[in-house]
Amino acid sequence: MKRCFRTALIQMQVGTDLTKNLENAVKHIQIAKNAGAKLITLPECFNSPYGTNFFEQYAETIPKGPTCEMLSKAAKEHSIYLVGGTFPEVENKRYYNTCTVWNPDGNLIAKFRKMHLFDIDIPGKITFKESDILSAGNELVTFVMEGIKIGLGICYDLRFEELAKLYRLDGCNMLIYPAAFNTTTGPMHFELLQRARAADNQVYVCAVSPARSEKGYKAYGFSQVTSPWGKVIAQAKENEEIVYADIDMTECDEVRQQIPIFNQRRCDVYEIVNKI
Ligand SMILES: NC(=O)CCC(=O)C(=O)O
């Protein structure tokens, strides 16, 4: 089993023109493939601006629609695993923030709906309420890339350590979060949360943001790859950029063997605490 590979995080600029957004994604996927990436991830809301007033307008059904068509074609053409960021999905008149994953044959192999909706209120800074429009997903979703199990989350999901732990317990070695943190919470928490999820669970963590835009919602940027030791191994700044990292799954084995926290957990005590 091949346990080393190159991954690429596409921190791309996103605007209001759907076709241009898809073309921009295609262009960057091609560049990342040429640089040797086998696993390529796009950001949260890569086909539309991020905002509750845009979700209905840009929503598509899965797997029909121009966005899925583009993702499937790109994965097949470049023979890559493609984590298709997220885009607004509509099903039975309900809207979701959804991540799709495509294999090198261009087949849809996973679909994850954001589980924890981004509802926050920091007066004078940022108020956002995804739940005004979106419904939450209820399922953990993983996929397997050449024997490596990868768990999915979307942005705000990164704050919930329970989700990450469940993925580790399910055998994941890597967690991927398409994300669009903002410029208030991003500087405080984006890197910290990724390092925490990685160190807690001894997994690689990748989080992929859109590039900072001039207008509308200002995504934080700073897409990042963190090792199972909790070390930042690659990080973008705020502009359009591709982040590359060479992943070596033996790092997961080493940290788990040398610091064996998953064999040392005091589930007997946690069980009592959980009952309080
Ligand atoms: N798109 C999101 O879920 C944003 C999450 C975020 O910015 C946070 O602070 O959490």
Side-chain angles (χ1 to χ4, degrees):
M1 190 198 309
K2 210 168 133 207
R3 302 184 77 226
C4 298
F5 62 92
R6 177 164 288 188
T7 194
L9 318 184
I10 310 282
Q11 183 170 295
M12 54 178 273
Q13 195 60 250
V14 177
T16 51
D17 185 326
L18 173 83
T19 308
K20 278 199 184 137
N21 292 333
L22 297 186
E23 285 169 1
N24 195 22
V26 167
K27 182 183 95 183
H28 281 91
I29 291 166
Q30 165 108 53
I31 295 169
K33 166 65 188 188
N34 290 347
K38 177 81 191 156
L39 172 66
I40 298 177
T41 303
L42 298 170
E44 183 178 26
C45 262
F46 82 96
N47 77 354
S48 74
Y50 180 60
T52 46
N53 48 331
F54 296 108
F55 293 142
E56 286 170 324
Q57 185 191 339
Y58 287 83
E60 295 179 27
T61 54
I62 294 174
K64 299 249 182 294
T67 302
C68 283
E69 216 171 277
M70 177 287 272
L71 292 168
S72 168
K73 194 165 162 232
K76 189 168 178 181
E77 191 175 322
H78 298 300
S79 191
I80 51 164
Y81 284 84
L82 180 58
V83 179
T86 80
F87 57 90
E89 176 197 5
V90 58
E91 189 185 67
N92 298 328
K93 296 190 184 146
R94 291 175 87 99
Y95 295 87
Y96 303 91
N97 187 348
T98 303
C99 173
T100 57
V101 183
W102 307 82
N103 73 7
D105 294 323
N107 297 324
L108 179 65
I109 54 167
K111 182 176 102 164
F112 174 83
R113 289 171 168 164
K114 191 173 192 172
M115 190 179 281
H116 304 90
L117 296 180
F118 178 46
D119 288 0
I120 67 166
D121 182 18
I122 307 179
K125 301 273 189 193
I126 176 169
T127 301
F128 205 100
K129 201 152 182 247
E130 278 192 320
S131 65
D132 278 344
I133 306 289
L134 300 179
S135 300
N138 297 315
E139 278 172 38
L140 277 75
V141 177
T142 62
F143 67 97
V144 177
M145 187 188 96
E146 295 171 7
I148 298 160
K149 198 164 189 179
I150 299 173
L152 297 168
I154 299 171
C155 202
Y156 200 55
D157 288 327
L158 184 57
R159 290 189 178 273
F160 297 84
E161 52 109 3
E162 295 90 340
L163 180 63
K165 177 121 314 142
L166 287 168
Y167 280 136
R168 162 71 205 267
L169 292 170
D170 191 33
C172 289
N173 285 337
M174 178 183 260
L175 305 180
I176 296 182
Y177 298 88
F181 263 62
N182 61 86
T183 50
T184 298
T185 60
M188 288 191 285
H189 296 153
F190 196 43
E191 176 179 328
L192 175 74
L193 288 167
Q194 292 173 69
R195 295 189 65 200
R197 298 296 83 88
D200 283 350
N201 296 295
Q202 303 173 314
V203 292
Y204 278 99
V205 171
C206 301
V208 192
S209 171
R212 184 93 43 94
S213 63
E214 295 295 315
K215 293 190 214 137
Y217 182 90
K218 292 213 176 340
Y220 177 52
F222 288 85
S223 300
Q224 181 176 310
V225 182
T226 309
S227 83
W229 293 91
K231 187 172 167 214
V232 179
I233 54 172
Q235 192 182 54
K237 299 230 179 313
E238 63 268 33
N239 296 328
E240 200 163 66
E241 186 178 335
I242 303 177
V243 172
Y244 296 101
D246 291 318
I247 303 295
D248 178 356
M249 285 298 163
T250 56
E251 293 241 354
C252 284
D253 304 340
E254 277 168 16
V255 67
R256 291 175 188 191
Q257 195 184 5
Q258 293 168 21
I259 311 178
I261 48 176
F262 273 71
N263 302 331
Q264 296 165 333
R265 294 187 313 139
R266 289 293 309 277
C267 293
D268 53 334
V269 178
Y270 310 153
E271 227 170 79
I272 298 163
V273 174
N274 278 339
K275 282 183 190 146
I276 295 171

